[in-house]
Amino acid sequence: MIKVVFFDLDDTLIDTSKLAEIARRNAIENMIRAGMPTDFGIAYHELLELINEYGSNFNRHFDYLLRRLDLPYNPKWVAAGVIGYHNTKITHLKTVKGVRKTLLALKQIGLMLGIITDGNPVKQWEKILRTEIEDYFDDVLISDFVGVKKPHLKIFQKALKNFGVRPHEALMVGDRLYSDIYGAKNAGMVTVWFKYGKYANRELDYLDYADFQVRALEDVVDIVRGLNSEESEERSDKEVHAD
């Protein structure tokens, strides 16, 4: 019987891939408008390389960008990039289609809900709070706060412990086959791969770890209902035969 459904955050609940691309482009455009003497295409390519090398949570992307472009440090240009990025994030940050409908339906059938996500705790909480989905969830586990990243077994075990459930009583929904699906399956959870965003056609070597695949989050509700209905029927059959 499924008692709790866990969700990844980025590109599962929050549409972050499209947001990040728009925000980065607007940041470069804003820096150029502020006087940064460079071609947009060159600067954008260098920014993507920086993010790939240092990670998206690095807090000095625009400082390092100027170095890579052989430009002198200019706080005005850096500030313009920061403003362009954050203004876009505030304007365009939104949930994936069907999120609220799905979460409400799961709560209405009596399930607990949790988030298991990697990333900077402040940034991840900002996404949750800005999209106003925090009230749906009973607990949120963020890797940088817990101390281990997905697919490490410990973050999934901690989630199970926090909810007081056994592995087969938990279902994990995520867009990444490696960190979300492979990790959760190794912890004994039921897994649902949400085929969405930039990882929709990546990490396919881990496809066998997905018990289900969906392209719409609303389908998760039907999966849970189906699993719980099957278990209820099996229990009823056992009781009948026992009599």
Side-chain angles (χ1 to χ4, degrees):
M1 182 73 70
I2 300 299
K3 297 180 178 179
V4 57
V5 178
F6 293 109
F7 290 88
D8 171 53
L9 185 64
D10 296 312
D11 282 338
T12 301
L13 296 173
I14 309 293
D15 201 340
T16 49
S17 286
K18 293 177 183 177
L19 170 69
E21 180 182 354
I22 295 169
R24 290 162 187 166
R25 288 182 175 276
N26 286 350
I28 297 297
E29 289 176 354
N30 220 33
M31 294 175 83
I32 292 172
R33 279 196 295 269
M36 184 174 72
T38 189
D39 174 76
F40 173 85
I42 293 173
Y44 184 66
H45 174 75
E46 289 294 340
L47 179 60
L48 293 184
E49 287 292 315
L50 262 170
I51 292 165
N52 185 55
E53 292 171 21
Y54 289 88
S56 60
N57 289 323
F58 184 59
N59 62 4
R60 300 186 65 191
H61 286 135
F62 300 127
D63 302 69
Y64 277 40
L65 177 63
L66 297 182
R67 298 178 186 177
R68 290 174 78 113
L69 294 171
D70 291 324
L71 294 172
Y73 177 75
N74 187 315
K76 178 183 176 182
W77 301 341
V78 173
V82 171
I83 290 169
Y85 184 88
H86 284 289
N87 283 353
T88 304
K89 188 166 72 170
I90 292 170
T91 304
H92 293 274
L93 187 67
K94 62 181 181 179
T95 56
V96 171
K97 182 181 178 182
V99 163
R100 285 178 173 78
K101 182 178 178 181
T102 300
L103 298 178
L104 181 60
L106 292 171
K107 293 299 274 188
Q108 287 176 337
I109 60 179
L111 296 175
M112 297 180 288
L113 300 180
I115 293 175
I116 305 175
T117 179
D118 289 337
N120 179 289
V122 173
K123 287 187 176 182
Q124 298 304 79
W125 268 113
E126 181 185 3
K127 296 170 190 173
I128 295 168
L129 295 173
R130 283 194 183 279
T131 53
E132 299 181 338
I133 59 172
E134 71 275 13
D135 289 341
Y136 291 102
F137 295 96
D138 301 284
D139 195 16
V140 175
L141 290 92
I142 303 174
S143 64
D144 285 11
F145 196 76
V146 175
V148 289
K149 291 181 67 173
K150 296 179 292 183
H152 200 292
L153 194 61
K154 286 185 178 179
I155 194 167
F156 295 101
Q157 290 175 333
K158 184 173 179 61
L160 293 169
K161 182 179 179 181
N162 286 1
F163 279 83
V165 297
R166 292 172 291 181
H168 68 274
E169 296 173 328
L171 182 145
M172 177 72 193
V173 183
D175 68 301
R176 292 201 56 178
L177 282 168
Y178 177 59
S179 56
D180 299 321
I181 304 307
Y182 169 72
K185 193 64 180 177
N186 279 342
M189 297 182 184
V190 180
T191 55
V192 178
W193 179 37
F194 181 35
K195 195 173 182 181
Y196 183 85
K198 64 183 180 182
Y199 284 96
N201 294 298
R202 300 185 191 179
E203 304 177 341
L204 297 179
D205 289 346
Y206 297 92
L207 184 58
D208 288 345
Y209 291 91
D211 295 309
F212 301 92
Q213 295 181 39
V214 298
R215 290 183 178 270
L217 278 181
E218 293 96 326
D219 292 340
V220 173
V221 180
D222 292 332
I223 289 171
V224 173
R225 284 176 173 154
L227 289 170
N228 287 353
S229 177
E230 286 177 11
E231 187 164 334
S232 295
E233 289 176 4
E234 289 176 4
R235 189 181 299 115
S236 296
D237 288 342
K238 287 180 180 178
E239 290 174 355
V240 169
H241 290 311
D243 292 341

